[in-house]
């Protein structure tokens, strides 16, 4: 098998024929899986066009290459976001597009996959007698750099390459929420668990889906204790745990919600959520942003408007398009454009002062 020009650039001229044949065989095995051959950090830097010193800098001290901030959760509390800086984000997108996306997750997974969504995740549980909802505790924070290293090593990469790839994709030893690669990595790390659960459930005519940390099971006459114990055991083998506070067993007589969608009789966004959206748009139209913000926790107008536009898009995705007045969406988008223009004006004005 021919060794590519990029590989030739990083090979020692004094390497013997046997060594080159071993490298060629290594590259061939990766190529058979549709994966790019990576020999070292230097070779990787040549492949993606990033200075090798940057690659070494990130792999040795990734903490300096993230912007960390908090976003409020929809119900209560805050979610810590670790967003990679632009060059690192570009590197991670390369890893996602050229390595991670080549390996399919289990069929029951609906998160972080093109063509699947919370709607496809909920649809499978429509109209079922029983629904069991489980949640993986501290999902991204429980997937360690060792899990990520093992993922790349099992794909066929050398130990050294697997180490620096895992360092490029982790923050303080764990998956960062806010990185392009974290979702896909989580799916692949849990692939063995998902496949074991899928086999277990198929044999018992139970429906199973997972969306990130949300695990849902539905069907008739489900032996809940046995199922939960099996899930707990398989997660435990990865060092993951169930969040007991979020465990739910719901019958048809209760409102069954899967990833934010009611699934009792038809797919629907909860009525209260729809009413709250219409109310917020009404208050914005009647009283304006300042007055509305005084009565909510949304002090950032851009974040508020983007959230409301996202809520409208969510409703239109789950329901027919006429559930949201298109004029309301245009109203929100116009407000957002005005606010962004106003902020740019003030920013430019500040720059003129110095």
């Amino acid at each position: 098998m021919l060794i590519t020009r990029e590989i030739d650039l990083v090979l020692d001229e004094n390497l013997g024929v046997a060594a080159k044949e071993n490298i060629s065989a290594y590259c061939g095995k990766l190529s058979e899986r549709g994966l790019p051959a990576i020999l070292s950090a230097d070779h990787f830097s040549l492949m993606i066009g990033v200075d090798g010193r940057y690659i070494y800098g990130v792999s040795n001290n990734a903490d300096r290459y993230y912007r960390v901030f908090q976003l409020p959760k929809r119900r209560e509390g805050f979610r810590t976001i670790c967003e990679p800086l632009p060059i690192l984000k570009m590197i991670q997108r390369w890893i996602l597009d050229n390595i991670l996306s080549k390996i399919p997750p289990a069929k029951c997974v609906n998160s972080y996959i093109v063509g699947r969504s919370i709607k496809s995740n909920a649809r499978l549980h429509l109209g079922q007698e029983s629904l069991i909802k489980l949640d993986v505790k501290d999902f991204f924070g429980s997937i360690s750099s060792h899990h990520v290293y093992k993922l790349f090593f099992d794909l066929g990469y050398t130990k050294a390459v697997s180490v620096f790839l895992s360092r490029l994709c982790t923050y303080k030893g764990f998956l960062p929420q806010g990185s392009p690669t974290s979702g896909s990595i989580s799916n692949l790390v849990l692939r063995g668990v998902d496949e074991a659960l899928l086999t277990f459930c198929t044999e018992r005519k139970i429906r199973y889906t997972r969306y990130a940390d949300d695990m849902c099971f539905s069907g008739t006459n489900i032996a809940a204790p046995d199922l939960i114990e099996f899930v707990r055991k398989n997660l435990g083998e990865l060092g993951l745990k169930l969040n007991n506070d979020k465990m739910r067993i719901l019958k048809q007589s209760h409102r069954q919600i899967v990833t934010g969608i009611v699934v009792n009789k038809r797919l629907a966004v909860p009525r209260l959520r729809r009413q709250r959206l219409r109310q917020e748009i009404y208050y914005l139209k009647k009283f304006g942003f300042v007055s509305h913000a005084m009565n909510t926790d949304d002090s950032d107008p851009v974040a508020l408007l983007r959230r409301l536009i996202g809520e409208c898009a969510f409703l239109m995705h789950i329901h027919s398009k006429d559930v949201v007045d298109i004029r309301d969406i245009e109203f929100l988008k116009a407000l957002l454009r005005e606010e962004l223009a106003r902020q740019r004006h003030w920013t430019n004005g500040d720059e003129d002062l110095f």
Side-chain angles (χ1 to χ4, degrees), residues 136-205:
V136 183
K137 188 175 183 178
D138 190 20
F139 185 59
F140 286 112
S142 296
I143 299 176
S144 68
S145 54
H146 177 72
H147 289 114
V148 183
Y149 160 79
K150 189 175 184 302
L151 167 63
F152 286 116
F153 184 71
D154 289 346
L155 290 179
Y157 289 102
T158 65
K159 290 182 178 180
V161 170
S162 299
V163 166
F164 87 76
L165 286 177
S166 69
R167 289 178 177 174
L168 290 173
C169 296
T170 54
Y171 173 77
K172 297 194 176 199
F174 297 93
L175 282 188
Q177 191 165 356
S179 162
T181 50
S182 291
S184 183
I185 287 174
S186 69
N187 283 344
L188 297 179
V189 168
L190 266 74
R191 184 169 60 171
V193 171
D194 287 324
E195 289 175 346
L197 293 181
L198 197 55
T199 299
F200 178 92
C201 291
T202 301
E203 291 172 352
R204 292 159 178 79
K205 297 182 179 180

Side-chain angles (χ1 to χ4, degrees), residues 6 26-27 32 40 54 84 129 133 135 147-148 153 162 165 179 188-189 248 253 266 271-272 297 299 322:
E6 290 84 358
Y26 163 73
C27 297
E32 288 173 3
S40 65
Y54 188 92
E129 178 186 284
K133 298 170 60 176
D135 180 89
H147 289 114
V148 183
F153 184 71
S162 299
L165 286 177
S179 162
L188 297 179
V189 168
R248 300 287 184 271
S253 55
R266 62 185 180 88
R271 183 180 293 106
L272 183 61
D297 295 327
S299 57
D322 58 2

Side-chain angles (χ1 to χ4, degrees), residues 5-251:
R5 175 178 173 277
E6 290 84 358
I7 294 176
D8 280 334
L9 288 173
V10 294
L11 287 180
D12 189 325
E13 293 180 356
N14 297 319
L15 278 178
V17 174
K20 288 193 174 185
E21 287 179 350
N22 288 337
I23 292 171
S24 184
Y26 163 73
C27 297
K29 289 180 180 178
L30 289 167
S31 179
E32 288 173 3
R33 303 193 70 174
L35 300 174
I38 304 172
L39 299 183
S40 65
D42 289 328
H43 178 220
F44 182 67
S45 71
L46 286 171
M47 292 175 70
I48 65 175
V50 174
D51 192 311
R53 290 170 295 182
Y54 188 92
I55 302 292
Y56 282 109
V58 176
S59 62
N60 289 324
N61 190 11
D63 298 2
R64 296 170 49 204
Y65 297 85
Y66 285 85
R67 182 174 72 96
V68 181
F69 56 96
Q70 289 189 319
L71 290 178
K73 293 183 179 179
R74 192 162 62 86
R75 288 190 174 87
E76 59 180 20
F78 290 86
R79 178 176 288 107
T80 299
I81 303 298
C82 305
E83 181 183 24
L85 297 180
I87 296 178
L88 178 55
K89 183 180 286 188
M90 181 272 289
I91 294 171
Q92 291 175 347
R93 288 196 183 281
W94 190 96
I95 294 171
L96 173 64
D97 294 340
N98 293 276
I99 300 178
L100 301 173
S101 65
K102 307 296 183 183
I103 310 300
K107 294 180 180 179
C108 53
V109 180
N110 287 284
S111 52
Y112 314 113
I113 303 170
V114 176
R116 301 187 204 176
S117 65
I118 58 175
K119 187 174 184 178
S120 62
N121 186 68
R123 186 183 293 116
L124 190 69
H125 304 287
L126 186 63
Q128 297 300 299
E129 178 186 284
S130 298
L131 173 67
I132 299 176
K133 298 170 60 176
L134 305 178
D135 180 89
V136 183
K137 188 175 183 178
D138 190 20
F139 185 59
F140 286 112
S142 296
I143 299 176
S144 68
S145 54
H146 177 72
H147 289 114
V148 183
Y149 160 79
K150 189 175 184 302
L151 167 63
F152 286 116
F153 184 71
D154 289 346
L155 290 179
Y157 289 102
T158 65
K159 290 182 178 180
V161 170
S162 299
V163 166
F164 87 76
L165 286 177
S166 69
R167 289 178 177 174
L168 290 173
C169 296
T170 54
Y171 173 77
K172 297 194 176 199
F174 297 93
L175 282 188
Q177 191 165 356
S179 162
T181 50
S182 291
S184 183
I185 287 174
S186 69
N187 283 344
L188 297 179
V189 168
L190 266 74
R191 184 169 60 171
V193 171
D194 287 324
E195 289 175 346
L197 293 181
L198 197 55
T199 299
F200 178 92
C201 291
T202 301
E203 291 172 352
R204 292 159 178 79
K205 297 182 179 180
I206 300 171
R207 303 181 178 206
Y208 167 56
T209 63
R210 182 176 62 79
Y211 192 94
D213 55 351
D214 292 324
M215 310 175 85
C216 290
F217 307 82
S218 64
T220 304
N221 298 323
I222 301 176
D226 294 342
L227 171 63
I228 294 170
E229 182 56 33
F230 188 79
V231 174
R232 201 185 299 277
K233 174 179 175 294
N234 278 269
L235 287 176
E237 291 175 358
L238 277 179
L240 304 179
K241 298 179 180 179
L242 286 176
N243 187 338
N244 293 329
D245 294 337
K246 293 187 176 181
M247 196 177 295
R248 300 287 184 271
I249 301 176
L250 303 167
K251 299 295 184 179

